[in-house]
Amino acid sequence: MDTWIKMGMGVLSNKISRDELKPGDHIYSWRQAYIYAHHGIYAGEGKVIHFTRGAGQEIGTGTVLDRFILSSSPAHPEDNPCQQCGDQSRLDGVMCSCIDCFLSGGDLYLFEYNVSPVFFLAKARGGTCTLAHSDSPEDVLHRASFLLENGFGGYNIFKNNCEDFAIYCKTGLLVITSISVGRSGQAASFIAAASAIASSPLRFLTTSFSGLAVVVSGMYCVSRYVSDIGVRRDVAKVPVERLVAHSGVEKSDIATNVAQEE
C-alpha cells in the first residue's frame, strides 16, 4: 500500500526537501508561473551546476515564447548580491550557484529516471521524468564539473537548453539527428502539443468534442513518448572529453561519429 501511495504522490508532484538531496541528483524549479522549469545538477554542499542564458539574452527564439521565457541566471539587486555567489545575473553558460540562487524563490523538485511508460504518460507535463537510465553519481558529477570548466556550447531553447544539459550529465546521451528536438522533455512537450493542435483536421474523424479530445490527447501522448531520450534510437553515448574536444562541431555530428564507430 505504501508503495502505491508513493507512486501516486510521485505522479502528482516530484517536490522534495533539501535534506533528501544527494550529489548527482537532477533537480529543477518552476519559473514564470509554471510556464517552464530551470534544471541543474546538485553538486553537493549546497551547490548546483546549471546551464543558462544571461539576462539580456532572452529574446531570440523567434516564437511567442520570447514573451514569457526569461533568463534563469540568479538574480539579486545590484546593491545586494548573494554573499556566496556574487552577482551572476549577467553570466551565461554553465555556472555553479548556491541552491538558493538556483531556486530563485521557487520550490525544489527531483527529475526522475528509469520510470515506467505508464508513469511517464501519467505525468502529462513534460520535463519531469524520463524512461532513460541514469549513470552513477560519480559519472554525473564528472560530466557536470568538466562542462563547468569547459562549457556546453550555445544556449538553444529547443536543442541545447538547461534540461538538455542536465540529461546529458545524467546519461551521456546526445541526439544524432540535427533536425529533431534535443533531449529536453519540456521542448518535446511543446512540440507535441503544437503537433496535436496542428492535427486538428482529425476532428473530421469524430463528431463529438469528447472524441476530438481523445484523438488530440492520444497524439500528444504518443509524440511525447517517442521523443523521450529513453526510447529514441537516434542517440549515442558521447564521452564528455570528446564533446568538449570538438566544441566547435554540432553535437549531433559528434554523436553521429561516435555511433558510426560503435
Side-chain angles (χ1 to χ4, degrees):
M1 179 65 71
D2 289 343
T3 300
W4 285 105
I5 292 176
K6 290 179 180 179
M7 287 181 62
M9 292 300 294
V11 169
L12 296 175
S13 174
N14 294 356
K15 187 185 294 188
I16 61 171
S17 68
R18 298 189 186 191
D19 293 338
E20 298 176 83
L21 279 174
K22 299 183 293 295
D25 278 348
H26 175 172
I27 59 176
Y28 63 96
S29 182
W30 292 104
R31 299 282 202 270
Q32 294 294 102
Y34 292 89
I35 293 176
Y36 71 103
H38 186 51
H39 294 246
I41 298 295
Y42 182 64
E45 299 182 350
K47 297 291 185 179
V48 182
I49 299 175
H50 56 121
F51 180 55
T52 186
R53 293 174 296 185
Q57 302 177 40
E58 301 90 347
I59 305 302
T61 68
T63 72
V64 69
L65 294 178
D66 287 337
R67 299 183 180 182
F68 303 105
I69 298 181
L70 305 178
S71 170
S72 293
S73 296
H76 291 275
E78 292 184 2
D79 59 348
N80 187 31
C82 173
Q83 294 184 356
Q84 294 188 58
C85 306
D87 182 12
Q88 295 184 320
S89 62
R90 309 299 298 185
L91 299 180
D92 68 308
V94 183
M95 64 179 67
C96 184
S97 307
C98 71
I99 193 164
D100 287 321
C101 286
F102 172 80
L103 293 176
S104 191
D107 292 322
L108 174 65
Y109 296 84
L110 178 69
F111 191 99
E112 297 185 81
Y113 285 78
N114 193 29
V115 302
S116 68
V118 172
F119 185 94
F120 178 82
L121 293 175
K123 302 282 285 190
R125 185 71 180 268
T128 60
C129 62
T130 177
L131 286 81
H133 292 261
S134 170
D135 290 334
S136 69
E138 293 77 16
D139 288 340
V140 175
L141 292 173
H142 169 67
R143 293 186 189 113
S145 299
F146 199 84
L147 294 173
L148 176 62
E149 296 296 326
N150 297 279
F152 192 61
Y155 194 100
N156 182 294
I157 191 171
F158 289 114
K159 292 189 176 183
N160 202 49
N161 58 42
C162 59
E163 187 183 347
D164 289 310
F165 167 79
I167 289 176
Y168 172 73
C169 289
K170 290 287 284 187
T171 66
L173 296 174
L174 290 180
V175 176
I176 295 173
T177 50
S178 60
I179 60 173
S180 63
V181 71
R183 299 161 295 281
S184 169
Q186 293 184 95
S189 290
F190 177 81
I191 298 298
S195 298
I197 294 172
S199 300
S200 58
L202 288 174
R203 64 182 179 275
F204 296 116
L205 298 178
T206 179
T207 58
S208 67
F209 176 80
S210 60
L212 176 61
V214 170
V215 171
V216 172
S217 61
M219 291 190 63
Y220 172 76
C221 290
V222 169
S223 182
R224 270 193 63 222
Y225 180 79
V226 299
S227 298
D228 183 70
I229 193 71
V231 175
R232 296 171 66 159
R233 293 293 176 263
D234 60 337
V235 297
K237 206 171 189 75
V238 178
V240 67
E241 294 81 4
R242 183 162 183 176
L243 175 63
V244 169
H246 297 83
S247 58
V249 180
E250 286 286 340
K251 288 183 173 65
S252 58
D253 293 335
I254 300 173
T256 298
N257 292 335
V258 171
Q260 290 174 345
E261 293 171 2
E262 293 179 347

